[in-house]
């Protein structure tokens, strides 16, 4: 199969009551791990990059890399901009060939968020690419082992979500329902009542950010309530760095970089597999044939 738009993936997921896992990537090994896990499980998958990751890899290089690896795999893959910070970045990524764009205007007032999101939607539509918007503030649970901040406030208002979707014409909505990025300090309390109300008022596929550490039963419940895309980033980086650290400690003075990196790549494949299964998207690639 090949590179597809995220709209194709998420409309199918919503109808089939499963979610497509979206994994951020930083480099070749990371991307190979995501696509290899998805391919083994015959799962549709989204490879994402936030602006810092796009800058690190180079947008054209990132898209070419995903395309080259995905080309021969039996699964549909979307290439997504995560938390696009402004209109300009969205347009740059459309130019690179991304097949899904998120614009995150949640730091702005609702009016400003709506007006910039509308501009992004107009540009993306012209390229046949769907847009994810954000309402409420999906904060940072903890950033690294010290836990720099603990800002889990900003639950989305369902009425604001309804207005946002209606006025912007976005395709998918990331709404804050008690989820956060990073490592949760305590079990996250997802607001399923808010999720239900948002789904009822918007009817678009919903996106759950901060998937790392949300218990499996909550992930499954959210999916049955309309969540069609779940983002996982921290869990993969944590597994990669911990495994890489162990390997380096065990093999000091071994300058074979491929040998040092391989266990970390295997670990990321294992983690991606677990999360794809959690999203119930394994064996769903056949729905796209
Ligand atoms: Zn996010």
């Amino acid at each position: 199969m090949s590179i597809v738009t995220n709209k194709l993936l998420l409309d199918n997921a919503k109808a089939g009551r499963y979610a497509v896992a979206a994994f951020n990537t930083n480099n070749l090994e990371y991307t190979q791990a995501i696509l290899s896990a998805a391919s083994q499980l015959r799962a549709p998958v989204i490879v994402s990059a936030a602006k810092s990751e796009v800058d690190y890899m180079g947008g054209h290089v990132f898209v070419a890399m995903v395309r080259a690896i995905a080309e021969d795999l039996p699964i549909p893959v979307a290439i997504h901009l995560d938390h696009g910070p402004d209109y300009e970045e969205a347009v740059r990524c459309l130019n690179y060939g991304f097949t899904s764009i998120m614009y995150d205007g949640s730091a702005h007032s609702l009016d400003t968020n709506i007006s910039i999101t509308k501009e992004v939607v107009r540009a993306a539509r012209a390229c046949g690419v769907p847009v994810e918007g954000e309402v409420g503030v999906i904060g940072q649970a903890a950033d690294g082992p010290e836990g720099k901040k603990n800002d889990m406030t900003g639950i989305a208002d369902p009425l604001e979500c309804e207005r946002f979707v209606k006025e912007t014409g976005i395709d998918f909505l990331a709404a804050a329902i008690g989820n956060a990025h990073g490592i949760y300090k305590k079990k996250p309390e997802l607001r399923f009542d808010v999720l239900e109300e948002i789904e009822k008022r918007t009817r678009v596929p919903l996106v759950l950010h901060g998937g790392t550490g949300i218990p499996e039963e909550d992930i499954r419940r959210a999916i049955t309530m309309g969540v069609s895309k779940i983002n996982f980033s921290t869990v993969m980086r944590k597994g990669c760095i911990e495994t890489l650290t162990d390997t380096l400690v065990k093999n000091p003075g071994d300058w074979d970089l491929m040998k040092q990196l391989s266990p970390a790549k295997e670990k990321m494949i294992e983690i991606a597999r677990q999360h794809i299964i959690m999203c119930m998207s394994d064996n769903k690639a056949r729905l796209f044939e």
Side-chain angles (χ1 to χ4, degrees), residues 231-250:
N231 294 5
F232 302 102
S233 176
T234 309
V235 69
M236 292 280 277
R237 281 181 282 117
K238 182 170 178 286
C240 175
I241 289 173
E242 285 173 354
T243 307
L244 180 58
T245 306
D246 281 356
T247 314
L248 293 172
V249 168
K250 277 184 204 144

Side-chain angles (χ1 to χ4, degrees), residues 82-83 181 209 231:
D82 189 29
H83 292 284
H181 301 109
H209 283 240
N231 294 5

Side-chain angles (χ1 to χ4, degrees), residues 151-184:
D151 176 15
M152 291 170 66
T153 56
I155 302 285
D157 174 349
L159 288 170
E160 290 193 356
C161 292
E162 183 178 6
R163 184 182 152 211
F164 183 78
V165 170
K166 202 175 285 172
E167 293 188 19
T168 60
I170 51 151
D171 302 274
F172 330 117
L173 177 67
I177 56 161
N179 46 325
H181 301 109
I183 301 284
Y184 294 97

Side-chain angles (χ1 to χ4, degrees), residues 55-103:
D55 290 345
Y56 179 81
M57 294 180 282
H60 284 301
V61 175
F62 166 57
V63 172
M65 170 175 67
V66 177
R67 281 189 176 275
I69 301 171
E71 203 169 42
D72 298 322
L73 301 181
I75 53 168
V77 177
I79 305 175
H80 177 74
L81 169 65
D82 189 29
H83 292 284
D86 49 36
Y87 174 81
E88 288 73 14
E89 184 64 15
V91 170
R92 270 194 295 275
C93 288
L94 289 169
N95 185 44
Y96 294 139
F98 281 55
T99 61
S100 180
I101 297 286
M102 176 186 189
Y103 166 67

Side-chain angles (χ1 to χ4, degrees), residues 29-277:
E29 288 77 10
Y30 206 148
T31 310
Q32 286 175 320
I34 296 163
L35 291 171
S36 146
S39 178
Q40 288 169 17
L41 293 168
R42 297 288 189 272
V45 76
I46 300 159
V47 185
S48 301
K51 185 180 186 313
S52 59
E53 293 162 330
V54 174
D55 290 345
Y56 179 81
M57 294 180 282
H60 284 301
V61 175
F62 166 57
V63 172
M65 170 175 67
V66 177
R67 281 189 176 275
I69 301 171
E71 203 169 42
D72 298 322
L73 301 181
I75 53 168
V77 177
I79 305 175
H80 177 74
L81 169 65
D82 189 29
H83 292 284
D86 49 36
Y87 174 81
E88 288 73 14
E89 184 64 15
V91 170
R92 270 194 295 275
C93 288
L94 289 169
N95 185 44
Y96 294 139
F98 281 55
T99 61
S100 180
I101 297 286
M102 176 186 189
Y103 166 67
D104 177 0
S106 62
H108 295 293
S109 68
L110 185 65
D111 285 336
T112 306
N113 188 1
I114 288 175
S115 76
I116 303 174
T117 304
K118 270 166 87 169
E119 289 178 42
V120 172
V121 169
R122 188 165 175 218
R125 282 278 188 283
C127 306
V129 170
V131 175
E132 174 182 335
E134 177 169 327
V135 175
V137 179
I138 302 167
Q140 204 68 28
D143 200 354
E146 299 89 31
K148 288 179 207 146
K149 32 187 179 168
N150 188 13
D151 176 15
M152 291 170 66
T153 56
I155 302 285
D157 174 349
L159 288 170
E160 290 193 356
C161 292
E162 183 178 6
R163 184 182 152 211
F164 183 78
V165 170
K166 202 175 285 172
E167 293 188 19
T168 60
I170 51 151
D171 302 274
F172 330 117
L173 177 67
I177 56 161
N179 46 325
H181 301 109
I183 301 284
Y184 294 97
K185 285 183 177 165
K186 55 182 172 62
K187 182 178 175 285
E189 301 287 340
L190 295 189
R191 290 283 304 273
F192 289 104
D193 55 328
V194 175
L195 178 63
E196 186 179 15
E197 191 65 23
I198 292 172
E199 204 286 320
K200 220 188 298 171
R201 291 181 179 274
T202 63
R203 299 289 179 199
V204 293
L206 302 175
V207 180
L208 191 61
H209 283 240
T212 298
I214 296 180
E216 178 156 352
E217 65 269 25
D218 285 359
I219 295 258
R220 297 269 165 106
R221 186 170 168 200
I223 293 170
T224 63
M225 296 174 69
V227 165
S228 311
K229 168 175 177 268
I230 304 181
N231 294 5
F232 302 102
S233 176
T234 309
V235 69
M236 292 280 277
R237 281 181 282 117
K238 182 170 178 286
C240 175
I241 289 173
E242 285 173 354
T243 307
L244 180 58
T245 306
D246 281 356
T247 314
L248 293 172
V249 168
K250 277 184 204 144
N251 306 292
D254 189 334
W255 312 123
D256 183 337
L257 188 58
M258 293 180 288
K259 199 171 135 197
Q260 299 281 33
L261 286 169
S262 291
K265 183 157 84 177
E266 289 305 316
K267 183 70 186 174
M268 286 192 285
I269 294 175
E270 184 193 320
I271 295 170
R273 282 180 59 106
Q274 286 163 3
H275 289 81
I276 287 168
I277 291 169

